[in-house]
Structure formats: structure tokens, C-alpha cells
Amino acid sequence: MENQEKYNNLSKLVEKLKKSEDPKRKYEYILWLGKKLKEPDSEILIEENKVKGCVSEVFVKAKIKGGKLFWEGYSDALITKGLLAFLISGLNELTPNEVVKINKKFIEDTGLKASLTPSRSNGFLNILLKMQSQANEFLEV
């Protein structure tokens, strides 16, 4: 992954998944991340924060503190919750500009496509796009 220092958290997560050749182990890791995701404030469960194009219900919201973004999210499906947790962990404490400019290639680098259905894989990208859209709103302020 390029710019590893800037995207240190995300790079570590991607590397962890890349190391495993077994699609089942990757899937289990994503499920584990989903179980660890903190319950968000219920106030984020509004249409404005909903990720479009996901089979499951997914909500994500950024707050900005000291120029850095802090994310929280919710999904009603554990695997999607794990994908959301992966992105929240990877993109937490980045600036809005860093989130907007991230190269989507890291999704391929994870090797998760072999473990996910096409709709889950598409949902993963849609969550990232929603997060980038929210980050972009902070740039416009």
C-alpha cells in the first residue's frame, strides 16, 4: 500500500489480511472485527448517514476533532459490521483530505474478494465511498 506512514492503521489491517492465504481465515478476521465494533450513539441511525447500495442496514458518521476524523458506525449484519469496523479502524484519525485522497486499490490488496459475495464486496466499496463523501463535506466547510 502506498503512503504507508500516513495510512499506518489501514496498512496494518491490509497487511494482516494479505498474510493469510486462506479465505476462511480472512472472513473470520472480519467477523472478529465486527464483534469488536462499539455500539454507536443511536442518533447516527438516520437516513443521512445510511450507506446506499448495501444489502444490510449500514450507517456511518464522522466527527471532526483537531482536524482529524473520528468515525462510528452500525450494521445489522455481522460480516458487514466487520467490513465497517475494518474501515473505521483504518480511517480513524486521518484528516478529511487524507480520507478523500485514499487509493481504493487497498480493497483489492486485502484479498477479500475471494471471501465475500459480490454484493458484500460492492457494499465494502459503498461504505468507503460514503466515508469519503462525508470527509469531503468537512473540506467544503
Side-chain angles (χ1 to χ4, degrees), residues 30-48:
I30 293 297
L31 289 173
W32 178 78
L33 287 174
K35 290 176 186 169
K36 284 184 39 178
L37 186 65
K38 290 189 330 192
E39 283 296 313
D41 292 335
S42 60
E43 66 195 35
I44 79 156
L45 304 178
I46 58 173
E47 194 63 29
E48 175 185 320

mmCIF file of all heavy atoms in Angstrom, residues 30-48:
data_model
loop_
_atom_site.group_PDB
_atom_site.id
_atom_site.type_symbol
_atom_site.label_atom_id
_atom_site.label_comp_id
_atom_site.label_asym_id
_atom_site.label_seq_id
_atom_site.Cartn_x
_atom_site.Cartn_y
_atom_site.Cartn_z
ATOM 1 N N ILE A 30 -12.553 -10.703 9.724
ATOM 2 C CA ILE A 30 -13.540 -9.634 9.517
ATOM 3 C C ILE A 30 -14.702 -9.795 10.500
ATOM 4 O O ILE A 30 -15.176 -8.812 11.088
ATOM 5 C CB ILE A 30 -14.038 -9.618 8.046
ATOM 6 C CG1 ILE A 30 -12.899 -9.202 7.113
ATOM 7 C CG2 ILE A 30 -15.255 -8.716 7.870
ATOM 8 C CD1 ILE A 30 -12.349 -7.798 7.314
ATOM 9 N N LEU A 31 -15.145 -11.017 10.720
ATOM 10 C CA LEU A 31 -16.215 -11.266 11.711
ATOM 11 C C LEU A 31 -15.762 -10.834 13.107
ATOM 12 O O LEU A 31 -16.526 -10.223 13.862
ATOM 13 C CB LEU A 31 -16.613 -12.742 11.717
ATOM 14 C CG LEU A 31 -17.374 -13.243 10.495
ATOM 15 C CD1 LEU A 31 -17.536 -14.758 10.564
ATOM 16 C CD2 LEU A 31 -18.721 -12.563 10.364
ATOM 17 N N TRP A 32 -14.518 -11.140 13.447
ATOM 18 C CA TRP A 32 -13.965 -10.761 14.750
ATOM 19 C C TRP A 32 -13.960 -9.240 14.910
ATOM 20 O O TRP A 32 -14.325 -8.715 15.961
ATOM 21 C CB TRP A 32 -12.563 -11.348 14.890
ATOM 22 C CG TRP A 32 -11.871 -11.002 16.162
ATOM 23 C CD1 TRP A 32 -12.085 -11.568 17.391
ATOM 24 C CD2 TRP A 32 -10.856 -10.014 16.349
ATOM 25 N NE1 TRP A 32 -11.258 -10.983 18.321
ATOM 26 C CE2 TRP A 32 -10.501 -10.024 17.711
ATOM 27 C CE3 TRP A 32 -10.217 -9.128 15.493
ATOM 28 C CZ2 TRP A 32 -9.529 -9.172 18.232
ATOM 29 C CZ3 TRP A 32 -9.258 -8.289 16.007
ATOM 30 C CH2 TRP A 32 -8.922 -8.313 17.361
ATOM 31 N N LEU A 33 -13.557 -8.525 13.859
ATOM 32 C CA LEU A 33 -13.581 -7.055 13.903
ATOM 33 C C LEU A 33 -14.998 -6.543 14.129
ATOM 34 O O LEU A 33 -15.212 -5.597 14.879
ATOM 35 C CB LEU A 33 -13.021 -6.460 12.597
ATOM 36 C CG LEU A 33 -11.525 -6.556 12.366
ATOM 37 C CD1 LEU A 33 -11.183 -6.050 10.971
ATOM 38 C CD2 LEU A 33 -10.752 -5.775 13.422
ATOM 39 N N GLY A 34 -15.954 -7.184 13.470
ATOM 40 C CA GLY A 34 -17.359 -6.786 13.620
ATOM 41 C C GLY A 34 -17.844 -6.940 15.048
ATOM 42 O O GLY A 34 -18.572 -6.078 15.562
ATOM 43 N N LYS A 35 -17.429 -8.003 15.700
ATOM 44 C CA LYS A 35 -17.837 -8.229 17.094
ATOM 45 C C LYS A 35 -17.231 -7.195 18.026
ATOM 46 O O LYS A 35 -17.789 -6.893 19.076
ATOM 47 C CB LYS A 35 -17.435 -9.636 17.544
ATOM 48 C CG LYS A 35 -18.255 -10.717 16.883
ATOM 49 C CD LYS A 35 -17.765 -12.101 17.266
ATOM 50 C CE LYS A 35 -18.516 -13.153 16.474
ATOM 51 N NZ LYS A 35 -17.929 -14.472 16.604
ATOM 52 N N LYS A 36 -16.081 -6.630 17.654
ATOM 53 C CA LYS A 36 -15.400 -5.649 18.494
ATOM 54 C C LYS A 36 -15.911 -4.214 18.303
ATOM 55 O O LYS A 36 -15.601 -3.342 19.112
ATOM 56 C CB LYS A 36 -13.896 -5.651 18.180
ATOM 57 C CG LYS A 36 -13.156 -6.827 18.760
ATOM 58 C CD LYS A 36 -11.668 -6.746 18.503
ATOM 59 C CE LYS A 36 -11.135 -5.359 18.635
ATOM 60 N NZ LYS A 36 -9.736 -5.143 18.466
ATOM 61 N N LEU A 37 -16.658 -3.975 17.231
ATOM 62 C CA LEU A 37 -17.108 -2.604 16.937
ATOM 63 C C LEU A 37 -18.054 -2.111 18.026
ATOM 64 O O LEU A 37 -19.034 -2.772 18.358
ATOM 65 C CB LEU A 37 -17.806 -2.550 15.572
ATOM 66 C CG LEU A 37 -18.189 -1.163 15.073
ATOM 67 C CD1 LEU A 37 -16.938 -0.318 14.813
ATOM 68 C CD2 LEU A 37 -19.013 -1.260 13.803
ATOM 69 N N LYS A 38 -17.720 -0.940 18.584
ATOM 70 C CA LYS A 38 -18.539 -0.365 19.648
ATOM 71 C C LYS A 38 -19.908 0.044 19.107
ATOM 72 O O LYS A 38 -20.016 0.487 17.974
ATOM 73 C CB LYS A 38 -17.855 0.875 20.243
ATOM 74 C CG LYS A 38 -16.635 0.573 21.052
ATOM 75 C CD LYS A 38 -16.095 1.760 21.810
ATOM 76 C CE LYS A 38 -16.334 3.095 21.155
ATOM 77 N NZ LYS A 38 -15.589 4.200 21.735
ATOM 78 N N GLU A 39 -20.913 -0.087 19.965
ATOM 79 C CA GLU A 39 -22.248 0.379 19.600
ATOM 80 C C GLU A 39 -22.218 1.900 19.482
ATOM 81 O O GLU A 39 -21.720 2.581 20.374
ATOM 82 C CB GLU A 39 -23.273 -0.035 20.663
ATOM 83 C CG GLU A 39 -23.676 -1.489 20.603
ATOM 84 C CD GLU A 39 -24.387 -1.872 19.318
ATOM 85 O OE1 GLU A 39 -25.311 -1.157 18.894
ATOM 86 O OE2 GLU A 39 -23.999 -2.893 18.722
ATOM 87 N N PRO A 40 -22.751 2.451 18.393
ATOM 88 C CA PRO A 40 -22.729 3.902 18.221
ATOM 89 C C PRO A 40 -23.886 4.567 18.971
ATOM 90 O O PRO A 40 -24.806 3.884 19.439
ATOM 91 C CB PRO A 40 -22.932 4.054 16.714
ATOM 92 C CG PRO A 40 -23.827 2.907 16.374
ATOM 93 C CD PRO A 40 -23.363 1.765 17.264
ATOM 94 N N ASP A 41 -23.817 5.879 19.051
ATOM 95 C CA ASP A 41 -24.966 6.629 19.552
ATOM 96 C C ASP A 41 -26.111 6.405 18.574
ATOM 97 O O ASP A 41 -25.904 6.417 17.362
ATOM 98 C CB ASP A 41 -24.658 8.136 19.606
ATOM 99 C CG ASP A 41 -23.622 8.468 20.662
ATOM 100 O OD1 ASP A 41 -23.491 7.690 21.630
ATOM 101 O OD2 ASP A 41 -22.949 9.508 20.532
ATOM 102 N N SER A 42 -27.314 6.213 19.098
ATOM 103 C CA SER A 42 -28.457 5.941 18.220
ATOM 104 C C SER A 42 -28.763 7.120 17.301
ATOM 105 O O SER A 42 -29.417 6.957 16.280
ATOM 106 C CB SER A 42 -29.682 5.563 19.049
ATOM 107 O OG SER A 42 -30.014 6.616 19.925
ATOM 108 N N GLU A 43 -28.254 8.295 17.635
ATOM 109 C CA GLU A 43 -28.508 9.471 16.805
ATOM 110 C C GLU A 43 -27.887 9.370 15.410
ATOM 111 O O GLU A 43 -28.273 10.107 14.507
ATOM 112 C CB GLU A 43 -28.019 10.742 17.498
ATOM 113 C CG GLU A 43 -26.513 10.791 17.655
ATOM 114 C CD GLU A 43 -26.030 11.840 18.634
ATOM 115 O OE1 GLU A 43 -26.713 12.089 19.635
ATOM 116 O OE2 GLU A 43 -24.956 12.399 18.381
ATOM 117 N N ILE A 44 -26.945 8.458 15.214
ATOM 118 C CA ILE A 44 -26.369 8.337 13.864
ATOM 119 C C ILE A 44 -27.248 7.499 12.935
ATOM 120 O O ILE A 44 -27.029 7.472 11.736
ATOM 121 C CB ILE A 44 -24.916 7.791 13.864
ATOM 122 C CG1 ILE A 44 -24.863 6.277 14.029
ATOM 123 C CG2 ILE A 44 -24.033 8.502 14.829
ATOM 124 C CD1 ILE A 44 -23.601 5.668 13.478
ATOM 125 N N LEU A 45 -28.242 6.817 13.500
ATOM 126 C CA LEU A 45 -29.086 5.928 12.699
ATOM 127 C C LEU A 45 -30.175 6.722 11.974
ATOM 128 O O LEU A 45 -31.373 6.506 12.167
ATOM 129 C CB LEU A 45 -29.702 4.840 13.587
ATOM 130 C CG LEU A 45 -28.704 3.988 14.382
ATOM 131 C CD1 LEU A 45 -29.427 2.982 15.252
ATOM 132 C CD2 LEU A 45 -27.698 3.311 13.478
ATOM 133 N N ILE A 46 -29.738 7.634 11.119
ATOM 134 C CA ILE A 46 -30.662 8.454 10.339
ATOM 135 C C ILE A 46 -30.330 8.297 8.857
ATOM 136 O O ILE A 46 -29.223 7.891 8.491
ATOM 137 C CB ILE A 46 -30.602 9.946 10.755
ATOM 138 C CG1 ILE A 46 -29.179 10.502 10.589
ATOM 139 C CG2 ILE A 46 -31.113 10.139 12.176
ATOM 140 C CD1 ILE A 46 -29.050 11.991 10.809
ATOM 141 N N GLU A 47 -31.288 8.624 8.028
ATOM 142 C CA GLU A 47 -31.153 8.443 6.578
ATOM 143 C C GLU A 47 -29.888 9.090 6.008
ATOM 144 O O GLU A 47 -29.228 8.527 5.135
ATOM 145 C CB GLU A 47 -32.406 9.011 5.883
ATOM 146 C CG GLU A 47 -32.544 8.598 4.442
ATOM 147 C CD GLU A 47 -32.703 7.097 4.219
ATOM 148 O OE1 GLU A 47 -33.246 6.385 5.095
ATOM 149 O OE2 GLU A 47 -32.260 6.628 3.157
ATOM 150 N N GLU A 48 -29.540 10.249 6.511
ATOM 151 C CA GLU A 48 -28.368 10.989 6.036
ATOM 152 C C GLU A 48 -27.068 10.186 6.182
ATOM 153 O O GLU A 48 -26.138 10.348 5.399
ATOM 154 C CB GLU A 48 -28.274 12.290 6.854
ATOM 155 C CG GLU A 48 -27.081 13.135 6.594
ATOM 156 C CD GLU A 48 -27.036 14.327 7.556
ATOM 157 O OE1 GLU A 48 -28.093 14.915 7.832
ATOM 158 O OE2 GLU A 48 -25.937 14.638 8.029
#
